[in-house]
Amino acid sequence: NNGLDSDGNYATIEDTAKPFVGTGSDAVGTYVIQYQAEDKDGNTSVVYNYAVTVSDNVKPTLSGPTPAKITVEANSGFDVTDPTTMTADTASGGLGLVATDTYDDANSLPIIITAQNTGSYDNRKTGVYTVTYVATDSNNNASDSLTYEVTVEDTTAPVFVGPAGDEVTYNT
């Protein structure tokens, strides 16, 4: 960049701090940029400092298969709060949740998915439970929530355990 000095000569304006070298211009943080002008006679201006703040305020997205319903067998151990269960595909018995975030994905940072309002969920009791999931990125931006209906049902036939053989004697 160039500017004019008091003699009408062009002066070179230079960034003397070079804050983005080696850090990447998308790295969240505050950077100081310093500028100083120098004319052809070697006269320099005072150094001007500018603070530039790079922030991430874009919420991640959270998606999953539709309809947002899943049926699990009672006593199966299906855990609605387990990260592996949340992100495993439905063919593997999971919910198939996918979280994406422009900043975290580009910087290989984890996105955390959490289950909320799970207080009443019990995979040992049949019933319909509502579980809400939210993804949070490394800068604490939260996604819109995704609500699942989890039905716990018992379809396993009981197993009769009795005495060996085909005869049972009953004495009156």
Side-chain angles (χ1 to χ4, degrees):
N1 290 335
N2 293 318
L4 293 174
D5 67 8
S6 60
D7 297 329
N9 298 315
Y10 281 101
T12 301
I13 300 172
E14 185 175 323
D15 175 4
T16 59
K18 309 265 190 258
F20 294 111
V21 174
T23 61
S25 61
D26 62 348
V28 170
T30 300
Y31 303 91
V32 176
I33 298 175
Q34 296 178 333
Y35 287 98
Q36 186 173 41
E38 182 176 343
D39 65 15
K40 67 177 177 102
D41 297 322
N43 300 312
T44 57
S45 70
V46 296
V47 174
Y48 290 95
N49 295 309
Y50 298 94
V52 174
T53 301
V54 177
S55 61
D56 170 26
N57 57 7
V58 177
K59 62 186 175 182
T61 59
L62 180 62
S63 61
T66 56
K69 295 180 179 189
I70 189 168
T71 301
V72 297
E73 183 67 24
N75 297 309
S76 65
F78 185 84
D79 184 358
V80 296
T81 64
D82 178 28
T84 303
T85 299
M86 289 186 270
T87 57
D89 62 39
T90 54
S92 302
L95 293 173
L97 300 179
V98 176
T100 57
D101 183 71
T102 27
Y103 181 79
D104 287 7
D105 291 349
N107 292 286
S108 300
L109 297 171
I111 303 167
I112 308 301
I113 302 174
T114 53
Q116 301 174 340
N117 73 323
T118 60
S120 65
Y121 176 78
D122 185 343
N123 74 2
R124 296 168 297 169
K125 296 180 182 175
T126 60
V128 178
Y129 302 91
T130 301
V131 182
T132 303
Y133 294 93
V134 173
T136 306
D137 68 16
S138 64
N139 292 299
N140 291 319
N141 299 308
S143 70
D144 291 335
S145 61
L146 184 62
T147 301
Y148 266 75
E149 182 179 283
V150 180
T151 301
V152 177
E153 60 184 24
D154 181 2
T155 61
T156 304
V159 176
F160 179 75
V161 178
D166 295 334
E167 257 182 58
V168 175
T169 304
Y170 178 71
N171 295 322
T172 57

